[in-house]
Amino acid sequence: MSDNKIIVTGGMGYIGSHTIVELVNAGYDPVIIDNLSNSNVSVLEGIKGITQRKIAFEEVDLSDSNACREVFSKHKDAVGVIHFAALKAVGESVEQPIRYYKNNIFSMINVLEALTTHHIDNFIFSSSCTVYGEPKKLPVTEKSPIQPATSPYGNTKQVGEEILQEAMAIEDSTIRTISLRYFNPIGAHKSTLIGELPLGIPNNLLPYLTQTAIGIREQLSVFGSDYNTPDGTAIRDYIHVVDLAEAHVVALTRLIKKQNKSNYEVFNLGTGKGNSVLEVIKSFERSTGEKVNYKIVDRRPGDVEAVYADTTFAREELGWATKRDLDEMTASAWAWEKKLRGQ
Ligand code: NAD
Ligand code: WQD
């Protein structure tokens, strides 16, 4: 068994590609499994430009149980799996719930079966702060109540966590799992060789903002200014994608070194600081010198007012904290957008 081979499902995607880079930096040997449903094979070139390494890539749909079984038999010497592969558009999941459940839940079950078959014992799951819904108390700790999911996408994360918790609780489970609840990842690698590649019209704030600043979109809509927040716009915990990527390496290493305190652990990954939509726009304008054409419009249905992480547990248990501030996030998102558009 090779002692540093890691399977990264969804490794061609936004967070996955940044994590591949940090895995290589930490001396791991990642293999990507991805069906390219929301990514592009050119990502491999970007990763190679940063790491000088050609990363093994398997184009496989993990929701297909036979294909999943086959690809895992080929890489059964892996010591861990980071499972990013999922569809993630909240609105689309409301329109196509069966597609979302099939893709996200089947993939996770197939991957877990493969782990069991091949005794690959270390598993990291991409969860989301969406599980907290509209929190009653801020900041949210890992013990804050889970609220009923408001979309099939959100439900795939909640059900995913429940399945893992139950599967890790059985006595003869040799698998150790960490669920990482991401807050709002933004920004890009400083090389501008990898970043977010939204398909079509972006739903998320940062890609919409940078596409507006570069002239692809006419105007950014700020969804609501009547929230009970200092400037009336909604608050989120924006985290630099490279900080997030580094956290995956820390969490995986914790499992491999058997430093985990139980077979199933959950960590919030955020900065601990909430910023409003207007603060993000101001940060972007400050860090780039560009102006954003924006207009305040009605609230977006389903949005929560404010959510940000209590980071104590991640800091004390994982020994991990973010290093990059909001201006670095917005500046790097802009550098990436310009690179994408050949500027
Ligand atoms: P992404 O869409 O950029 O990456 C996901 C990757 O998974 C894509 O490359 C896609 O092609 C692949 N994929 C999807 N279904 C697959 C399947 N059946 N088989 C093989 N590959 C498949 O998304 P991301 O932003 O990098 O998110 C990664 C993970 O983090 C997802 O699980 C997402 O739900 C979760 N997450 C993301 C955010 C966020 O804001 N970006 C926040 C919280 C949680
Ligand atoms: C951020 C803020 C919007 C776009 C979503 C998912 C969540 C998680 C992260 C995966 C909000 C405002 C946005 C725009 C705006 N993903 N906004 N104009 O909604 O916090 O979370 O992505 O797990 O599950 O729901 O992120 O980037 O869409 O919005 O004013 O054009 O920006 O109202 O306050 P969100 P977002």
Side-chain angles (χ1 to χ4, degrees), residues 2-246:
S2 103
D3 59 357
N4 63 351
K5 183 163 166 177
I6 306 298
I7 292 173
V8 182
T9 78
M12 300 292 268
Y14 173 45
I15 306 169
S17 56
H18 289 82
T19 301
I20 295 288
V21 169
E22 298 311 321
L23 285 168
V24 172
N25 287 344
Y28 287 107
D29 178 20
V31 176
I32 297 174
I33 307 178
D34 201 303
N35 66 351
L36 302 178
S37 57
N38 196 36
S39 49
N40 192 292
V41 77
S42 66
V43 168
L44 285 177
E45 284 310 305
I47 295 172
K48 192 171 173 202
I50 301 168
T51 62
Q52 313 308 321
R53 282 269 308 278
K54 190 172 181 299
I55 304 298
F57 167 51
E58 303 281 3
E59 188 176 340
V60 169
D61 180 351
L62 291 162
S63 67
D64 173 338
S65 56
N66 287 331
C68 178
R69 211 172 292 136
E70 222 168 272
V71 74
F72 269 82
S73 335
K74 199 169 152 192
H75 297 288
K76 60 182 174 211
D77 55 337
V79 290
V81 174
I82 305 182
H83 183 53
F84 292 108
L87 294 170
K88 63 163 183 178
V90 176
E92 189 181 65
S93 79
V94 176
E95 304 296 318
Q96 304 172 22
I98 303 301
R99 177 170 167 240
Y100 268 67
Y101 285 119
K102 181 174 181 205
N103 191 76
N104 294 4
I105 302 292
F106 280 25
S107 295
M108 196 183 92
I109 300 286
N110 289 337
V111 169
L112 285 174
E113 270 187 351
L115 294 193
T116 312
T117 306
H118 299 298
H119 303 287
I120 304 173
D121 287 339
N122 304 296
F123 186 68
I124 306 281
F125 176 61
S126 293
S127 190
S128 168
C129 70
T130 189
V131 302
Y132 298 118
E134 180 86 66
K136 297 210 167 52
K137 217 173 134 225
L138 288 166
V140 285
T141 75
E142 290 78 357
K143 295 202 162 62
S144 294
I146 302 294
Q147 310 274 1
T150 54
S151 72
Y153 166 73
N155 207 26
T156 67
K157 294 301 171 192
Q158 294 198 2
V159 171
E161 285 201 17
E162 282 169 19
I163 292 171
L164 288 168
Q165 193 167 11
E166 288 171 6
M168 297 309 118
I170 59 168
E171 224 165 272
D172 58 353
S173 170
T174 55
I175 304 175
R176 299 174 284 275
T177 291
I178 292 180
S179 284
L180 297 173
R181 292 180 182 155
Y182 315 154
F183 282 66
N184 287 59
I186 60 170
H189 194 268
K190 62 176 188 302
S191 63
T192 68
L193 292 173
I194 52 172
E196 193 168 2
L197 285 169
L199 284 181
I201 303 172
N203 295 306
N204 294 114
L205 177 61
L206 251 292
Y208 206 105
L209 190 162
T210 55
Q211 288 193 7
T212 305
I214 211 144
I216 298 173
R217 311 277 155 216
E218 175 101 18
Q219 190 170 52
L220 171 69
S221 297
V222 172
F223 297 136
S225 62
D226 57 349
Y227 286 107
N228 186 20
T229 60
D231 66 21
T233 64
I235 288 179
R236 297 287 183 276
D237 186 337
Y238 296 94
I239 172 171
H240 198 300
V241 67
V242 176
D243 277 320
L244 192 63
E246 288 173 354

